[in-house]
Amino acid sequence: MAKTYRTPAGITFDVFNYIVLGLFATAAILPFLYVIAGSFASDAELTKRAVFLIPETFTLNAYKFIFSTDTIVKSIGVSIYVTTIGTLVNLAFTVTMAYALAKRGLMGRNLVLNLVIFSMLFGGGMIPTYLVIRDLHLLDTYWALMLPGAINAFNLIIVKNFFQELPPELEEAARIDGCTEIGLLLRIVLPLSAPVLATFTLFYAVGHWNDFFSSLLYLNDPQKWPLQVLLRQIVLLSQAAAGDLNSMDPNFVKPPEQSIKMAVIVVGTVPILMVYPFLQKHFAKGVLLGSVKG
Amino acid sequence: MKHNAVTTSAAAQRTSVYRPSIMSRLKRDKWMYALLLPGLIYFLVFKYVPMWGVLLAFKNYQPFLGFWKSEWVGFEHFRLFFTNPDFFMLLRNTLVLSFYNLIFFFPAPIIAALMLNEVRIALYKRAVQTLIYVPHFISMVIVASLTYVFLTTEGGPVNEWLSAHTGKTVDFLTSPDWFRPLIIIQTIWKECGWGTIIFLAALAAVDVEQYEAAIVDGANRLRQLWHITLPALRSTIVILLILRMGHVLDNGFEQIYLMLNPLNRENAEVFDTYVYMMGITQGAFSYSTAVGLFKSVVGVILVLGTNWLAKRFGQSGLY
């Protein structure tokens, strides 16, 4: 088989192919490397050199500044809180509903399934949903970031299908041993589904950490903003860290705005890069692929 | 008579075995219904109440009157919207962006997957894959932030380079002409790598013997690509095309909103951002609901229509 590749044209193509893919991979990661380098660079260097990957002088000033402001530290706390609790809410709602829907003889099961599928096709849209949140008095509460997306219909159906494929003999055996429905879920089904649930935990968590839309829509109070919203304020709207700037230590040397922006971007990205190896382990196995067609 | 009695009792028995009464089934599965309930309430409250809330589009919603007491106005908001000059701007921006997306973004993951498929050094392939999936998990705010940091005229590296070499700077972030290219570049950077996964999965399912047979028949690599690899991708491509068609009016709120500013608005404002601006910022709830409803209805028609078309052309379709 390899023989046919050793034509001059084949070799030219291969070389070209490897180079282009290499460039593509570099382009995917280069912006992060640049921003990380810039966040550790000194004032002078950022104005002197446009692009570099290793700063000449290494300084932590930008990070010192970030972690000395109340607003940024608080928004990181908010993001961690919403990500943790929000993911737990997602899992609790998704698993219970999927488990019930996985039971074949359940009356009304098809009706509920069709309700779920229809909601994937048609939705009320931004304003009616906003009014529901408002009328439930959830505006300016963190529940508004967690409840409206508590179940992703797509994930629900994948988890349901997974539960359905567990061997029925296990259920029968557990029942004979006197296991209740809830016990069955907690002791048999959940431990067996750990890898699938780990995948959804990660995907839901990444979704919460990255979420900007819900906060923009439902949180008016700047005191409650998570990191993504503040990031937009700092980088895109350049209102660096709101009121905190002036209340700083007068002896503190203010780093260039560019390096602060870069440092905030790094802080917003690092958690994702940290869980990425785990994410990759799961999606590489193709857990989610078989179900893309619904 | 006796025979009848036997069948009746058999039928009764079958009923009692296979069809317990409704009440006993409810009772048997009470724990299941308890587990179903939170999810069901979620769908009713956060999905179905808003669906019913689209009726707002036919009312003149006044916050102090509430949903029930606000008066019905029929299609008045739709009439206002369709006669508003903004309508054509929104339609044009939305469709042009979707069209660019289809032309420039849609083929990118297919090409990348085909290129990856030709790589025979497993380690190299895996390394490239690992890196190109990363941007998919990065938030849109970070993507927009990176774009700003790179392209700003106040010390951004691209403009520093431009001014050093050409003596001029380009205001990418506020120029209406640069808006669409920037959006497409962002989308390709963020999603192209991730998009290869589904095509690589389809390619992995191709039987290696087909290639071996083709080589025996004297097919070169291009012929193999044309007769084996591309046909293997056809159904995946069709499904993704259907999905894309159905979402022709969805440009992704976050991305557009983050890149939108008053200076590039003429090319940047799309239906989603317009709904946000009119509804949330300016409080025209009924009018913006009408705009959103128009968009959703067209979306559903497009999804079902392209699905129907795909089925007619012998593909399996989605629904």
Side-chain angles (χ1 to χ4, degrees):
Chain A
M1 184 165 170
K3 202 180 162 193
T4 54
Y5 291 120
R6 287 205 208 103
T7 61
I11 291 168
T12 316
F13 169 78
D14 275 336
V15 170
F16 169 81
N17 193 25
Y18 280 75
I19 291 174
V20 172
L21 284 174
L23 288 176
F24 182 25
T26 314
I29 204 76
L30 201 62
F32 299 119
L33 299 180
Y34 169 68
V35 169
I36 291 170
S39 71
F40 288 111
S42 68
D43 193 344
E45 194 174 353
L46 267 170
T47 33
K48 196 178 72 194
R49 298 164 69 192
V51 187
F52 54 87
L53 292 178
I54 298 161
E56 277 168 355
T57 46
F58 182 87
T59 161
L60 286 172
N61 279 355
Y63 290 95
K64 279 183 193 151
F65 176 79
I66 285 182
F67 289 107
S68 66
T69 60
D70 281 347
T71 30
I72 300 179
V73 173
K74 192 163 178 236
S75 76
I76 294 171
V78 169
S79 280
I80 293 172
Y81 172 79
V82 171
T83 303
T84 316
I85 309 293
T87 307
L88 289 176
V89 169
N90 288 140
L91 285 177
F93 275 73
T94 308
V95 166
T96 51
M97 193 177 189
Y99 183 62
L101 287 178
K103 195 173 166 73
R104 285 213 166 78
L106 197 72
M107 233 183 1
R109 171 176 174 268
N110 277 330
L111 175 71
V112 177
L113 267 177
N114 284 328
L115 279 178
V116 171
I117 290 167
F118 183 72
S119 79
M120 294 162 89
L121 192 64
F122 183 78
M126 189 191 294
I127 305 301
T129 311
Y130 172 84
L131 292 176
V132 168
I133 307 288
R134 193 197 62 181
D135 292 347
L136 291 171
H137 302 287
L138 293 178
L139 286 187
D140 274 327
T141 69
Y142 294 128
W143 291 113
L145 310 188
M146 307 182 205
L147 291 180
I151 300 180
N152 175 316
F154 207 74
N155 295 353
L156 175 76
I157 288 172
I158 297 171
V159 176
K160 184 214 86 173
N161 289 345
F162 181 84
F163 286 165
Q164 260 171 10
E165 280 157 22
L166 291 173
E169 292 82 8
L170 277 171
E171 190 186 325
E172 284 160 26
R175 263 184 226 289
I176 290 166
D177 292 344
C179 199
T180 60
E181 290 285 358
I182 305 287
L184 194 68
L185 173 63
L186 291 178
R187 294 205 199 131
I188 312 281
V189 176
L190 286 187
L192 283 173
S193 327
V196 176
L197 295 180
T199 312
F200 286 110
T201 307
L202 287 169
F203 275 84
Y204 273 133
V206 169
H208 280 295
W209 181 266
N210 284 345
D211 182 31
F212 165 73
F213 179 71
S214 315
S215 312
L216 176 76
L217 218 54
Y218 306 130
L219 297 183
N220 298 316
D221 182 0
Q223 292 294 312
K224 296 197 165 107
W225 279 345
L227 184 61
Q228 302 290 338
V229 184
L230 205 66
L231 192 60
R232 166 170 173 262
Q233 296 287 321
I234 294 170
V235 183
L236 273 62
L237 306 182
S238 286
Q239 297 174 0
D244 268 337
L245 277 171
N246 303 324
S247 56
M248 294 292 309
D249 179 359
N251 297 325
F252 188 85
V253 183
K254 188 175 170 283
E257 224 182 305
Q258 192 83 340
S259 77
I260 296 178
K261 288 178 180 178
M262 289 177 172
V264 187
I265 294 175
V266 171
V267 171
T269 314
V270 160
I272 300 290
L273 295 182
M274 270 164 30
V275 298
Y276 177 70
F278 302 99
L279 276 167
Q280 204 211 4
K281 197 178 100 195
H282 289 294
F283 68 69
K285 278 190 205 149
V287 178
L288 300 170
L289 278 178
S291 34
V292 168
K293 228 192 124 184
Chain B
M1 195 61 199
K2 199 182 175 190
H3 176 75
N4 257 352
V6 170
T7 41
T8 326
S9 81
Q13 204 176 11
R14 195 160 7 158
T15 320
S16 67
V17 172
Y18 293 110
R19 286 174 158 253
S21 75
I22 290 176
M23 277 319 287
S24 72
R25 283 175 77 186
L26 283 175
K27 206 172 165 192
R28 183 194 68 194
D29 291 331
K30 60 178 186 292
W31 287 111
M32 281 299 175
Y33 288 109
L35 289 175
L36 184 66
L37 199 61
L40 185 61
I41 291 174
Y42 164 77
F43 275 97
L44 293 179
V45 171
F46 292 106
K47 301 287 173 190
Y48 281 85
V49 174
M51 272 185 218
W52 172 74
V54 298
L55 289 178
L56 225 54
F58 307 98
K59 286 191 159 210
N60 196 8
Y61 180 77
Q62 304 284 345
F64 57 90
L65 285 176
F67 181 86
W68 296 105
K69 287 182 181 157
S70 299
E71 57 165 341
W72 291 96
V73 294
F75 285 88
E76 179 62 18
H77 296 296
F78 293 91
R79 196 188 60 78
L80 275 174
F81 179 50
F82 295 133
T83 53
N84 190 324
D86 278 349
F87 173 73
F88 287 99
M89 176 190 77
L90 297 172
L91 191 66
R92 189 194 67 214
N93 289 345
T94 302
L95 292 180
V96 170
L97 263 181
S98 285
F99 181 71
Y100 279 17
N101 205 298
L102 194 67
I103 300 294
F104 298 108
F105 171 68
F106 190 77
I110 304 175
I111 295 167
L114 291 174
M115 289 174 78
L116 277 168
N117 198 43
E118 294 296 324
V119 172
R120 272 159 294 122
I121 304 171
L123 190 69
Y124 190 77
K125 187 176 173 183
R126 214 165 50 231
V128 169
Q129 282 178 286
T130 302
L131 293 179
I132 63 179
Y133 297 157
V134 172
H136 171 76
F137 295 98
I138 298 303
S139 77
M140 215 60 236
V141 178
I142 303 256
V143 175
S145 300
L146 289 172
T147 313
Y148 267 65
V149 165
F150 274 93
L151 298 182
T152 176
T153 46
E154 293 156 23
V158 173
N159 270 315
E160 293 285 305
W161 188 89
L162 279 177
S163 72
H165 289 82
T166 65
K168 279 183 286 192
T169 58
V170 179
D171 209 344
F172 298 100
L173 299 169
T174 52
S175 143
D177 294 335
W178 273 100
F179 179 79
R180 287 166 187 152
L182 280 183
I183 293 289
I184 299 299
I185 292 168
Q186 282 181 342
T187 308
I188 292 178
W189 181 76
K190 193 173 190 298
E191 301 299 340
C192 176
W194 182 252
T196 61
I197 292 185
I198 190 164
F199 295 109
L200 286 173
L203 289 175
V206 180
D207 194 344
V208 187
E209 282 179 20
Q210 287 194 44
Y211 289 106
E212 285 163 6
I215 291 166
V216 171
D217 290 344
N220 60 22
R221 279 167 99 180
L222 264 180
R223 287 261 158 219
Q224 292 172 36
L225 176 76
W226 185 252
H227 292 290
I228 303 171
T229 313
L230 282 178
L233 293 182
R234 190 169 53 208
S235 66
T236 312
I237 293 175
V238 169
I239 288 165
L240 292 183
L241 261 180
I242 295 174
L243 284 173
R244 167 113 5 239
M245 284 301 165
H247 293 278
V248 142
L249 297 190
D250 291 321
N251 305 112
F253 173 84
E254 282 193 3
Q255 186 183 16
I256 308 282
Y257 181 80
L258 289 164
M259 297 304 292
L260 173 76
N261 52 54
L263 295 171
N264 63 17
R265 179 174 182 261
E266 57 181 283
N267 279 354
E269 193 89 72
V270 294
F271 288 113
D272 285 324
T273 54
Y274 186 72
V275 170
Y276 175 81
M277 183 188 75
M278 296 308 291
I280 308 294
T281 318
Q282 303 188 12
F285 289 129
S286 281
Y287 178 72
S288 51
T289 303
V291 178
L293 180 60
F294 161 75
K295 213 205 80 173
S296 314
V297 169
V298 174
V300 171
I301 294 171
L302 285 172
V303 172
L304 296 179
T306 40
N307 195 50
W308 177 80
L309 265 182
K311 277 186 179 157
R312 283 212 55 177
F313 285 104
Q315 300 292 335
S316 57
L318 266 172
Y319 298 101

Short mmCIF file of all heavy atoms in Angstrom, two decimals, chain B residues 110-155:
data_model
loop_
_atom_site.label_atom_id
_atom_site.label_comp_id
_atom_site.label_asym_id
_atom_site.label_seq_id
_atom_site.Cartn_x
_atom_site.Cartn_y
_atom_site.Cartn_z
N ILE B 110 -14.12 19.79 6.87
CA ILE B 110 -14.06 18.65 5.96
C ILE B 110 -12.66 18.53 5.38
O ILE B 110 -12.05 17.45 5.38
CB ILE B 110 -15.10 18.79 4.83
CG1 ILE B 110 -16.50 18.97 5.43
CG2 ILE B 110 -15.07 17.60 3.89
CD1 ILE B 110 -17.59 19.24 4.41
N ILE B 111 -12.13 19.68 4.91
CA ILE B 111 -10.78 19.68 4.34
C ILE B 111 -9.77 19.27 5.40
O ILE B 111 -8.90 18.42 5.16
CB ILE B 111 -10.45 21.08 3.77
CG1 ILE B 111 -11.39 21.37 2.60
CG2 ILE B 111 -9.00 21.15 3.33
CD1 ILE B 111 -11.38 22.82 2.15
N ALA B 112 -9.91 19.84 6.61
CA ALA B 112 -8.95 19.52 7.68
C ALA B 112 -9.02 18.03 8.02
O ALA B 112 -7.98 17.39 8.24
CB ALA B 112 -9.25 20.36 8.92
N ALA B 113 -10.24 17.46 8.05
CA ALA B 113 -10.38 16.04 8.37
C ALA B 113 -9.74 15.19 7.27
O ALA B 113 -9.05 14.20 7.57
CB ALA B 113 -11.85 15.67 8.54
N LEU B 114 -9.94 15.58 6.01
CA LEU B 114 -9.33 14.82 4.90
C LEU B 114 -7.81 14.89 5.00
O LEU B 114 -7.12 13.90 4.77
CB LEU B 114 -9.80 15.38 3.55
CG LEU B 114 -11.26 15.14 3.21
CD1 LEU B 114 -11.63 15.85 1.92
CD2 LEU B 114 -11.56 13.65 3.10
N MET B 115 -7.30 16.07 5.37
CA MET B 115 -5.84 16.20 5.51
C MET B 115 -5.33 15.34 6.65
O MET B 115 -4.33 14.63 6.51
CB MET B 115 -5.47 17.67 5.72
CG MET B 115 -5.66 18.52 4.47
SD MET B 115 -5.39 20.27 4.80
CE MET B 115 -3.61 20.29 4.82
N LEU B 116 -6.04 15.38 7.79
CA LEU B 116 -5.64 14.55 8.93
C LEU B 116 -5.68 13.07 8.58
O LEU B 116 -4.86 12.29 9.05
CB LEU B 116 -6.55 14.82 10.12
CG LEU B 116 -6.22 16.03 10.98
CD1 LEU B 116 -7.36 16.35 11.92
CD2 LEU B 116 -4.94 15.79 11.77
N ASN B 117 -6.65 12.72 7.74
CA ASN B 117 -6.82 11.33 7.36
C ASN B 117 -5.63 10.82 6.54
O ASN B 117 -5.38 9.62 6.48
CB ASN B 117 -8.11 11.18 6.55
CG ASN B 117 -8.59 9.75 6.49
OD1 ASN B 117 -8.57 9.06 7.51
ND2 ASN B 117 -8.99 9.32 5.32
N GLU B 118 -4.92 11.73 5.88
CA GLU B 118 -3.77 11.33 5.07
C GLU B 118 -2.49 11.20 5.89
O GLU B 118 -1.48 10.74 5.39
CB GLU B 118 -3.55 12.35 3.94
CG GLU B 118 -4.67 12.41 2.91
CD GLU B 118 -4.83 11.11 2.13
OE1 GLU B 118 -3.81 10.47 1.84
OE2 GLU B 118 -5.98 10.73 1.84
N VAL B 119 -2.54 11.67 7.14
CA VAL B 119 -1.34 11.61 7.98
C VAL B 119 -1.15 10.18 8.46
O VAL B 119 -2.07 9.57 8.99
CB VAL B 119 -1.48 12.55 9.20
CG1 VAL B 119 -0.33 12.34 10.17
CG2 VAL B 119 -1.53 13.98 8.74
N ARG B 120 0.06 9.63 8.22
CA ARG B 120 0.27 8.24 8.63
C ARG B 120 1.19 8.10 9.84
O ARG B 120 1.45 7.01 10.29
CB ARG B 120 0.73 7.40 7.44
CG ARG B 120 -0.48 6.85 6.66
CD ARG B 120 -0.13 6.47 5.26
NE ARG B 120 0.25 7.65 4.49
CZ ARG B 120 1.41 7.79 3.88
NH1 ARG B 120 2.30 6.84 3.95
NH2 ARG B 120 1.67 8.89 3.19
N ILE B 121 1.68 9.23 10.35
CA ILE B 121 2.43 9.16 11.60
C ILE B 121 1.44 9.41 12.74
O ILE B 121 0.97 10.53 12.94
CB ILE B 121 3.55 10.22 11.63
CG1 ILE B 121 4.45 10.05 10.42
CG2 ILE B 121 4.36 10.12 12.93
CD1 ILE B 121 5.46 11.17 10.23
N ALA B 122 1.06 8.34 13.44
CA ALA B 122 -0.03 8.43 14.42
C ALA B 122 0.23 9.51 15.47
O ALA B 122 -0.68 10.25 15.86
CB ALA B 122 -0.23 7.08 15.09
N LEU B 123 1.48 9.61 15.91
CA LEU B 123 1.81 10.57 16.96
C LEU B 123 1.57 12.01 16.49
O LEU B 123 1.02 12.85 17.21
CB LEU B 123 3.27 10.38 17.38
CG LEU B 123 3.69 11.16 18.63
CD1 LEU B 123 3.01 10.58 19.86
CD2 LEU B 123 5.20 11.13 18.80
N TYR B 124 1.96 12.28 15.25
CA TYR B 124 1.79 13.62 14.68
C TYR B 124 0.31 13.95 14.58
O TYR B 124 -0.13 15.04 14.94
CB TYR B 124 2.46 13.69 13.31
CG TYR B 124 2.55 15.09 12.74
CD1 TYR B 124 3.51 15.97 13.19
CD2 TYR B 124 1.65 15.54 11.76
CE1 TYR B 124 3.60 17.26 12.68
CE2 TYR B 124 1.73 16.81 11.24
CZ TYR B 124 2.71 17.67 11.71
OH TYR B 124 2.79 18.93 11.22
N LYS B 125 -0.45 12.98 14.11
CA LYS B 125 -1.89 13.18 13.96
C LYS B 125 -2.53 13.51 15.32
O LYS B 125 -3.30 14.45 15.45
CB LYS B 125 -2.52 11.92 13.38
CG LYS B 125 -3.98 12.04 13.03
CD LYS B 125 -4.49 10.77 12.38
CE LYS B 125 -5.98 10.82 12.18
NZ LYS B 125 -6.50 9.57 11.62
N ARG B 126 -2.14 12.72 16.33
CA ARG B 126 -2.74 12.93 17.64
C ARG B 126 -2.34 14.29 18.22
O ARG B 126 -3.15 14.98 18.83
CB ARG B 126 -2.33 11.80 18.58
CG ARG B 126 -3.44 11.47 19.55
CD ARG B 126 -3.27 10.15 20.27
NE ARG B 126 -1.98 9.96 20.89
CZ ARG B 126 -1.22 8.87 20.69
NH1 ARG B 126 -1.63 7.93 19.89
NH2 ARG B 126 -0.06 8.77 21.29
N ALA B 127 -1.10 14.68 18.00
CA ALA B 127 -0.64 15.97 18.51
C ALA B 127 -1.42 17.11 17.86
O ALA B 127 -1.90 18.03 18.55
CB ALA B 127 0.86 16.13 18.25
N VAL B 128 -1.58 17.04 16.53
CA VAL B 128 -2.33 18.08 15.83
C VAL B 128 -3.76 18.13 16.35
O VAL B 128 -4.30 19.19 16.67
CB VAL B 128 -2.31 17.85 14.30
CG1 VAL B 128 -3.30 18.77 13.61
CG2 VAL B 128 -0.91 18.05 13.75
N GLN B 129 -4.38 16.96 16.49
CA GLN B 129 -5.76 16.91 16.97
C GLN B 129 -5.89 17.54 18.36
O GLN B 129 -6.79 18.33 18.61
CB GLN B 129 -6.25 15.46 17.02
CG GLN B 129 -6.62 14.91 15.66
CD GLN B 129 -7.05 13.46 15.77
OE1 GLN B 129 -6.24 12.57 15.95
NE2 GLN B 129 -8.35 13.23 15.68
N THR B 130 -4.96 17.16 19.25
CA THR B 130 -5.00 17.69 20.62
C THR B 130 -5.01 19.22 20.61
O THR B 130 -5.78 19.85 21.33
CB THR B 130 -3.80 17.19 21.41
OG1 THR B 130 -3.83 15.77 21.40
CG2 THR B 130 -3.83 17.68 22.84
N LEU B 131 -4.17 19.81 19.75
CA LEU B 131 -4.06 21.26 19.75
C LEU B 131 -5.26 21.93 19.08
O LEU B 131 -5.77 22.94 19.58
CB LEU B 131 -2.76 21.69 19.05
CG LEU B 131 -1.48 21.32 19.80
CD1 LEU B 131 -0.26 21.77 19.02
CD2 LEU B 131 -1.47 21.92 21.19
N ILE B 132 -5.76 21.37 17.99
CA ILE B 132 -6.81 22.09 17.26
C ILE B 132 -8.18 21.99 17.95
O ILE B 132 -9.10 22.73 17.63
CB ILE B 132 -6.94 21.66 15.78
CG1 ILE B 132 -7.33 20.20 15.65
CG2 ILE B 132 -5.65 21.96 15.03
CD1 ILE B 132 -7.50 19.75 14.21
N TYR B 133 -8.34 21.08 18.91
CA TYR B 133 -9.62 21.01 19.63
C TYR B 133 -9.70 22.06 20.74
O TYR B 133 -10.78 22.38 21.22
CB TYR B 133 -9.83 19.64 20.27
CG TYR B 133 -9.93 18.48 19.31
CD1 TYR B 133 -9.64 17.18 19.72
CD2 TYR B 133 -10.33 18.67 17.99
CE1 TYR B 133 -9.72 16.10 18.85
CE2 TYR B 133 -10.42 17.60 17.12
CZ TYR B 133 -10.11 16.32 17.55
OH TYR B 133 -10.20 15.27 16.69
N VAL B 134 -8.56 22.56 21.18
CA VAL B 134 -8.54 23.46 22.34
C VAL B 134 -9.47 24.68 22.19
O VAL B 134 -10.28 24.95 23.07
CB VAL B 134 -7.10 23.91 22.67
CG1 VAL B 134 -7.11 24.99 23.73
CG2 VAL B 134 -6.27 22.74 23.13
N PRO B 135 -9.41 25.42 21.06
CA PRO B 135 -10.19 26.66 21.00
C PRO B 135 -11.70 26.46 21.17
O PRO B 135 -12.39 27.37 21.62
CB PRO B 135 -9.89 27.21 19.60
CG PRO B 135 -8.58 26.62 19.24
CD PRO B 135 -8.57 25.26 19.85
N HIS B 136 -12.20 25.25 20.86
CA HIS B 136 -13.64 25.00 21.01
C HIS B 136 -14.11 25.23 22.44
O HIS B 136 -15.25 25.63 22.67
CB HIS B 136 -13.95 23.56 20.60
CG HIS B 136 -15.36 23.13 20.90
ND1 HIS B 136 -16.43 23.53 20.13
CD2 HIS B 136 -15.87 22.38 21.90
CE1 HIS B 136 -17.54 23.02 20.65
NE2 HIS B 136 -17.24 22.32 21.72
N PHE B 137 -13.22 24.98 23.41
CA PHE B 137 -13.63 25.05 24.81
C PHE B 137 -13.41 26.43 25.42
O PHE B 137 -13.70 26.65 26.60
CB PHE B 137 -12.87 23.99 25.62
CG PHE B 137 -13.25 22.61 25.20
CD1 PHE B 137 -12.45 21.89 24.32
CD2 PHE B 137 -14.43 22.03 25.65
CE1 PHE B 137 -12.82 20.63 23.91
CE2 PHE B 137 -14.80 20.77 25.23
CZ PHE B 137 -13.99 20.07 24.36
N ILE B 138 -12.90 27.34 24.62
CA ILE B 138 -12.63 28.68 25.12
C ILE B 138 -13.88 29.53 24.94
O ILE B 138 -14.57 29.43 23.93
CB ILE B 138 -11.45 29.27 24.30
CG1 ILE B 138 -10.21 28.42 24.50
CG2 ILE B 138 -11.19 30.72 24.67
CD1 ILE B 138 -9.76 28.26 25.92
N SER B 139 -14.18 30.37 25.93
CA SER B 139 -15.42 31.15 25.85
C SER B 139 -15.35 32.19 24.75
O SER B 139 -14.28 32.64 24.34
CB SER B 139 -15.70 31.83 27.18
OG SER B 139 -14.88 32.97 27.31
N MET B 140 -16.52 32.57 24.26
CA MET B 140 -16.61 33.59 23.21
C MET B 140 -16.03 34.92 23.70
O MET B 140 -15.44 35.67 22.92
CB MET B 140 -18.08 33.76 22.83
CG MET B 140 -18.32 34.05 21.39
SD MET B 140 -17.74 32.79 20.26
CE MET B 140 -16.67 33.76 19.25
N VAL B 141 -16.18 35.19 25.00
CA VAL B 141 -15.62 36.43 25.55
C VAL B 141 -14.10 36.43 25.40
O VAL B 141 -13.50 37.44 25.03
CB VAL B 141 -16.00 36.60 27.04
CG1 VAL B 141 -15.38 37.85 27.61
CG2 VAL B 141 -17.52 36.66 27.19
N ILE B 142 -13.48 35.29 25.66
CA ILE B 142 -12.02 35.20 25.52
C ILE B 142 -11.64 35.35 24.05
O ILE B 142 -10.66 36.04 23.72
CB ILE B 142 -11.52 33.86 26.07
CG1 ILE B 142 -11.92 33.69 27.52
CG2 ILE B 142 -10.01 33.72 25.84
CD1 ILE B 142 -10.87 33.90 28.54
N VAL B 143 -12.39 34.72 23.17
CA VAL B 143 -12.08 34.83 21.73
C VAL B 143 -12.16 36.29 21.30
O VAL B 143 -11.26 36.80 20.63
CB VAL B 143 -13.04 33.96 20.89
CG1 VAL B 143 -12.80 34.17 19.41
CG2 VAL B 143 -12.88 32.50 21.24
N ALA B 144 -13.22 36.97 21.71
CA ALA B 144 -13.35 38.39 21.36
C ALA B 144 -12.24 39.20 22.02
O ALA B 144 -11.67 40.10 21.39
CB ALA B 144 -14.72 38.90 21.80
N SER B 145 -11.88 38.85 23.27
CA SER B 145 -10.81 39.56 23.95
C SER B 145 -9.48 39.40 23.23
O SER B 145 -8.73 40.37 23.05
CB SER B 145 -10.65 39.05 25.39
OG SER B 145 -11.84 39.24 26.10
N LEU B 146 -9.20 38.17 22.80
CA LEU B 146 -7.96 37.93 22.06
C LEU B 146 -7.96 38.76 20.79
O LEU B 146 -6.95 39.39 20.43
CB LEU B 146 -7.82 36.44 21.71
CG LEU B 146 -7.52 35.49 22.88
CD1 LEU B 146 -7.62 34.04 22.41
CD2 LEU B 146 -6.14 35.75 23.44
N THR B 147 -9.11 38.78 20.10
CA THR B 147 -9.21 39.57 18.87
C THR B 147 -8.90 41.03 19.16
O THR B 147 -8.15 41.67 18.43
CB THR B 147 -10.63 39.44 18.29
OG1 THR B 147 -11.00 38.07 18.29
CG2 THR B 147 -10.71 39.98 16.89
N TYR B 148 -9.47 41.55 20.25
CA TYR B 148 -9.23 42.95 20.60
C TYR B 148 -7.76 43.20 20.92
O TYR B 148 -7.17 44.17 20.46
CB TYR B 148 -10.11 43.36 21.80
CG TYR B 148 -11.43 43.97 21.41
CD1 TYR B 148 -12.38 43.20 20.74
CD2 TYR B 148 -11.71 45.30 21.67
CE1 TYR B 148 -13.59 43.75 20.36
CE2 TYR B 148 -12.92 45.85 21.28
CZ TYR B 148 -13.86 45.08 20.64
OH TYR B 148 -15.05 45.63 20.25
N VAL B 149 -7.18 42.32 21.76
CA VAL B 149 -5.79 42.51 22.16
C VAL B 149 -4.87 42.50 20.94
O VAL B 149 -3.93 43.28 20.84
CB VAL B 149 -5.38 41.43 23.19
CG1 VAL B 149 -3.88 41.38 23.35
CG2 VAL B 149 -6.05 41.69 24.52
N PHE B 150 -5.16 41.62 19.97
CA PHE B 150 -4.31 41.53 18.78
C PHE B 150 -4.51 42.70 17.83
O PHE B 150 -3.58 43.18 17.21
CB PHE B 150 -4.58 40.23 18.03
CG PHE B 150 -3.79 39.07 18.54
CD1 PHE B 150 -4.32 38.24 19.50
CD2 PHE B 150 -2.51 38.84 18.08
CE1 PHE B 150 -3.58 37.18 19.99
CE2 PHE B 150 -1.77 37.79 18.57
CZ PHE B 150 -2.31 36.96 19.53
N LEU B 151 -5.76 43.14 17.70
CA LEU B 151 -6.07 44.06 16.60
C LEU B 151 -6.25 45.51 17.01
O LEU B 151 -6.45 46.37 16.15
CB LEU B 151 -7.34 43.59 15.87
CG LEU B 151 -7.26 42.22 15.20
CD1 LEU B 151 -8.55 41.89 14.48
CD2 LEU B 151 -6.09 42.15 14.24
N THR B 152 -6.20 45.79 18.30
CA THR B 152 -6.43 47.17 18.72
C THR B 152 -5.40 48.13 18.11
O THR B 152 -4.26 47.73 17.83
CB THR B 152 -6.43 47.29 20.26
OG1 THR B 152 -6.56 48.65 20.59
CG2 THR B 152 -5.13 46.77 20.84
N THR B 153 -5.82 49.35 17.88
CA THR B 153 -4.88 50.34 17.33
C THR B 153 -4.02 50.94 18.44
O THR B 153 -3.07 51.66 18.17
CB THR B 153 -5.65 51.49 16.63
OG1 THR B 153 -6.72 51.89 17.49
CG2 THR B 153 -6.20 51.05 15.30
N GLU B 154 -4.36 50.62 19.70
CA GLU B 154 -3.56 51.13 20.81
C GLU B 154 -2.56 50.09 21.28
O GLU B 154 -2.73 49.46 22.32
CB GLU B 154 -4.49 51.53 21.97
CG GLU B 154 -5.36 52.73 21.65
CD GLU B 154 -6.62 52.75 22.50
OE1 GLU B 154 -6.62 52.13 23.58
OE2 GLU B 154 -7.60 53.36 22.06
N GLY B 155 -1.54 49.85 20.48
CA GLY B 155 -0.48 48.95 20.90
C GLY B 155 -0.70 47.48 20.59
O GLY B 155 0.04 46.64 21.09
#
